[in-house]
Amino acid sequence: MQSIDLPLESSPVGAGGYAAGEGRGELAHVMPARVLVAVFAALILLTILTVAAARFDLGPANLTVALGIATVKATLVALYFMHLRYDSPFNALVFVTALVFLALFLSLTMLDAVQYQPDIRSYETAPDSGFLAH
Amino acid sequence: MSLVGGSDNYLTHTRGFRSWALTLDHKRIAVMYMVGVSATFLLGGVFALVVRTELATPGPTIMGFPAAESQPPSAENQPAASSPASPPAVEATAEGKNLYNHMFTLHGTVMIFLVIIPGMPAILGNFVLPLMLGAKDVAFPRLNLASFYLWLFGAIFFVVVLHTGGLDTGWTFYTPYSTGQGNSAATNTSIVLAVLGAFILGFSSIATGINFIVTTHTLRPPGMGWFKMTLFMWGLYATAIIQVLATPVLGITLLLLAGERVLKLGIFDPALGGDPILFQHFFWFYSHPAVYIMILPGMGIISEVISVFSRKHIFGYRFIAFSSVAIALWGFLVWGHHMFVSGMTPLAATIFSALTFTVAIPSAVKVFNWLATMYKGSIGLATPMCYALMFLVLFGIGGLTGLFLGTLAVDVHVTDTYFVVAHFHYVMFGGALVALLAGLHYWWPKITGRMYNDRLGQLAAFLLFVGFNLTFFPQFVLGTRGMPRRYYDYTKLLERHPEFSTLHMLSTIGAFLTAAALFLVLFYLIDSLVRGRRAPANPWGGATLEWQCSSPPPHDNFPTPPPVGDPYDYSGLEYDPALGGFVRRSPDADRSGGPSLVPSSG
Amino acid sequence: MISHAEPLGWHPPHLAHHFDTPRQQFAAGKLGMWIFLLTEVLFFGGLFCAYAVYRANHPEIFIYAHQFLDKPLGAINTAVLILSSLTMAWAVRCAQLSQRRGLVLCLALTLACAAVFLGIKYVEYDRKWEEGLKWAGSYAPRQVREPIPPRDPSLPAFPPDHGHGSEPRNVGIFFSIYFAMTGLHAVHILGGMGVIAWILRRAVRGDFSADYFNPVDYTALYWHLVDMIWIYLFPLLYLIH
């Protein structure tokens, strides 16, 4: 019972479920050691970079730079450590879907929450409002 | 292989408590869910009857009677327009009002978290999905069993809640009443236990969702592409997508609420700098898609039943399939419509209102396709079809009234009134639960190997239809005239709306009629287990794969994989009176001049 | 559907009865784990949403309060976790190549890194406790730092506070978010350690080989996600300016 309409493995599946040309034992791509080490080194370098960047004040770009570096790191982890580069594209789609829906949740909630802040501030600063009496 | 089960099937394959408690068989897990969910449905129903009984009269009916000396009738207790002959109104005690809060809260939480959300995927999905695939089981049988035990533990938590502090916040747990910190008016009930129970139930839901998605992707037989799947499978798949995307957000929300109460975390409590509207955003991001979890499997069932009992290929298969996924994904965009009057900004409200209108479109697409399927079909009115027709009417009403609620100008007036209560009962009960009953009656012969009394089934369906409408239609009227929801005592409203008494009384009578109908269902279904005719493999003439194994199915479903064809092509099936069911017409039938009766699976 | 390399009907020992081939089983398990990771992303996502909302609405709280966090320890923890991801990915490689000793070593190193991470976390939390820097309901700082005035003059000045000197009001909310996020993350580290320990035990027993390493692979996926979440937590909590 093979279901191949939405391919779960990126390599073509032959009889017995093993890809053509692969040995009996190879269920999935094996990551070469040098790739693992290279990704590790890149991640450490990027960590140093992000700490260093924190020393400089770039104004509103601070957050963008920090999140940008974090995203590069996360992408490296996902593509290489988590094998997404050599895996079925559907698994990557699953992961991206999570991020898309998270973005949806964050953006609509923030759209509302940021906009009603002035109401709250006006309660807070009104004299003798009794608001949040400690 | 025997087509009329009874010899060796999944029920008789192994015996003993452990063989059920530690089973990995999806069919047994489904049966355990069926028993559990029925029990919690009974519990939720009892709470409903208590609520309705209390509301039958304006003042205290069964709770909150003050001690005789403590409440002298005073001027403000009397409705000014009451006739001189009517007895003086009694003001309910605070304890009574609080008890009422517990009753409707527990009704809501039990029904939503323990019955309607798990119900169809766990019972019918578990049983039927692998059979529809011609498969031996779901992708992760142990995860499936875990999912059942998680449900069971969640249910136990709620039962414990009943015996400790109860719950009185409404099933929505709004803060700051529920956070209980820095606020002496906050609730003192078993919130932590309840939210932990719901948290555990969330894992049950997620586990089922993961299982069904992977099963659909990996266990389809050769020849069954995505567009050869049954529409029930599409419904389950779309439901599973919502389960995995939305439930985690509920999880974190409940965890944070527990943190609020135990640690004074302060994220939702304004006394500590928190934001209570943020709680509502978090809560409804799950709870709106959750209503689509409730309805999508039901819509899948309706597609099956309407097609089979019209003896006609489903009309617009791809439209229905795509609309299921569309509802699942679009449903994530509209949660703000539960918060129109919470203080959200007009811009956000407008966006959510517009999106709410568009999310109705895929549902309408389905309804039109179902009607087109029935057009010029050969309609059979067996019990499953009775429920399917009921669904069309009740879901139609419920869905359309949702549009009223999505309209900002109208919602401002009817929000938090009985209009909302009527709307969601029409869709959740009249829609989802009726679909569950349709599916239960449709697959009952397959699950149990017995036929129930169809006349009683039709009678019960009719009684349920009358009872249901009697209960909830008056509530639309109550709502538009201003009766607020979650109110214990409406004596003071009678001044301007004396008809409220009558409407509430009608609603209560309807509730008891509904309960009677449901008890009748319970009766004849259990009776069928003892005295029902043994069911053939295919009593209704379905063309989907589950009808190609015996009723009940053997332990491993299909000794050889069944051939895959069009799931809605009935041309190859005909009724065999001797068997009492349908069989596959042999290919020689047309040439020999008479149908030869070949068993529908070999 | 049956491999021509094995006799007809032969079922490899690790193959469950409802799957046809090991590859199908592996692919199914992997998809299942990715969907579980999707749920974890959304689970943590709620906290990221709370963070985003509060940071957008009260930047002064975040700019002020993050001074109390220990940047060097946070950076070391980031490096430690990245190292643990390396050892975990290497463990998968060892399992795929049937290198049992390598597999055991890598899993043990991963556990060690995780323990170091938790140890450093403990030190951080301990300092916060001593300083009285806890979540909103229990916030009682022993000393206050100088407030950092908002860079943007259009932002409102700090509303007068009621008891903590010159701090912005409701600083405790930052620590609520901090403890909720890092605490939940630490719980996931603990859970991961439990699973890795179990996998380690099975690896020592020789359960894994090139034919069957599925649990190692799935555990690694989970572990990498935990690392990824920290990769975002670190700049968002520790490196605000």
Side-chain angles (χ1 to χ4, degrees), chain B residues 522-546:
Chain B
L522 184 68
F523 164 74
Y524 66 70
L525 286 180
I526 293 185
D527 184 69
S528 79
L529 296 176
V530 180
R531 297 193 301 172
R533 172 172 75 88
R534 291 211 179 265
N538 195 349
W540 314 119
T544 45
L545 293 185
E546 75 273 22

Side-chain angles (χ1 to χ4, degrees), chain A residues 46-125:
Chain A
L46 286 167
T47 307
I48 296 173
L49 180 64
T50 199
V51 172
R55 293 174 188 274
F56 304 101
D57 184 4
L58 305 158
N62 283 334
L63 193 59
T64 318
V65 167
L67 285 179
I69 297 177
T71 304
V72 172
K73 290 163 82 177
T75 310
L76 285 172
V77 171
L79 284 178
Y80 293 101
F81 282 172
M82 295 170 99
H83 282 258
L84 275 183
R85 176 127 184 245
Y86 304 98
D87 206 356
S88 157
F90 191 72
N91 292 339
L93 178 67
V94 167
F95 191 57
V96 168
T97 302
L99 299 172
V100 165
F101 276 82
L102 182 59
L104 174 77
F105 178 42
L106 253 76
S107 51
L108 279 173
T109 303
M110 281 188 69
L111 172 76
D112 188 44
V114 169
Q115 289 199 317
Y116 62 66
Q117 284 309 304
D119 292 337
I120 298 181
R121 283 198 199 277
S122 67
Y123 302 144
E124 280 180 345
T125 53

Side-chain angles (χ1 to χ4, degrees), chain C residues 74-89:
Chain C
I76 293 173
N77 256 353
T78 308
V80 164
L81 220 50
I82 291 175
L83 178 62
S84 77
S85 256
L86 172 69
T87 54
M88 194 68 219

Side-chain angles (χ1 to χ4, degrees), chain A residues 1 9 16-18 22 24-25 28-29 31 36 47 56-57 62 71 81-82 87 94 102 110 117 121, chain C residues 1 3 6 20-24 30 38 45 52 57 82 86 93 96 151 210-211 221 224 228 232 241:
Chain A
M1 291 183 206
E9 293 295 327
Y18 301 123
E22 284 183 356
R24 202 199 100 171
H29 171 270
M31 193 63 71
L36 290 177
T47 307
F56 304 101
D57 184 4
N62 283 334
T71 304
F81 282 172
M82 295 170 99
D87 206 356
V94 167
L102 182 59
M110 281 188 69
Q117 284 309 304
R121 283 198 199 277
Chain C
M1 286 198 289
S3 163
E6 287 91 28
D20 276 342
T21 68
R23 178 170 277 254
Q24 187 191 40
K30 204 152 197 178
L38 175 153
N57 290 329
I82 291 175
L86 172 69
R93 179 189 149 79
Q96 285 177 298
R151 188 172 312 107
D211 284 337
L221 283 177
H224 293 309
M228 230 193 262
Y232 278 97
H241 54 119

Side-chain angles (χ1 to χ4, degrees), chain B residues 53 100 116 222 313 317 353 384 395 419 456 518 545 557 590-591:
Chain B
T53 308
Y100 180 76
I116 279 286
H313 197 291
Y317 172 93
S353 175
F395 178 73
F419 193 89
L456 282 183
L518 290 169
L545 293 185
N557 297 349
D590 299 326
R591 288 175 232 134

Side-chain angles (χ1 to χ4, degrees), chain A residues 1-6 8 90 97-98 101-102 104-106 108-109 111-113 115-117 119-120 131-132 134, chain B residues 134 217-220 225-226 245 249 270-271 275 277-278 281-282 285 329 332-333 335 343-345 347-348 351-352:
Chain A
M1 291 183 206
Q2 306 281 1
S3 59
I4 311 296
D5 292 16
L6 270 154
L8 289 179
F90 191 72
T97 302
F101 276 82
L102 182 59
L104 174 77
F105 178 42
L106 253 76
L108 279 173
T109 303
L111 172 76
D112 188 44
Q115 289 199 317
Y116 62 66
Q117 284 309 304
D119 292 337
I120 298 181
F131 185 64
L132 299 185
H134 282 277
Chain B
H217 274 274
T218 58
L219 292 181
R220 274 177 294 118
W226 282 84
L245 279 172
V249 178
D275 186 349
I277 306 299
L278 192 63
H281 278 294
F282 272 50
F285 184 80
L329 299 176
F332 279 91
L333 302 178
W335 80 86
M344 72 190 312
T345 57
L347 172 66
I351 294 175
F352 278 119

Side-chain angles (χ1 to χ4, degrees), chain C residues 111-211:
Chain C
L111 276 178
C113 288
V116 169
F117 180 91
L118 286 181
I120 296 179
K121 250 257 119 340
Y122 173 77
V123 169
E124 283 188 89
Y125 277 17
D126 193 49
R127 285 189 193 167
K128 300 279 172 313
W129 242 254
E130 282 179 18
E131 299 277 314
L133 300 169
K134 296 197 270 188
W135 43 89
S138 313
Y139 180 66
R142 284 192 20 214
Q143 51 172 296
V144 296
R145 307 271 175 105
E146 279 302 309
I148 302 175
R151 188 172 312 107
D152 180 356
S154 71
L155 277 181
F158 302 140
D161 194 78
H162 293 270
H164 297 306
S166 58
E167 281 190 338
R169 174 205 280 237
N170 290 329
V171 173
I173 285 289
F174 174 84
F175 289 101
S176 294
I177 293 178
Y178 170 79
F179 280 108
M181 293 182 98
T182 58
L184 189 64
H185 181 260
V187 166
H188 280 77
I189 296 259
L190 268 172
M193 284 176 79
V195 176
I196 293 175
W198 173 64
I199 297 281
L200 178 60
R201 187 165 166 268
R202 291 185 67 184
V204 167
R205 271 201 329 224
D207 280 2
F208 303 122
S209 68
D211 284 337

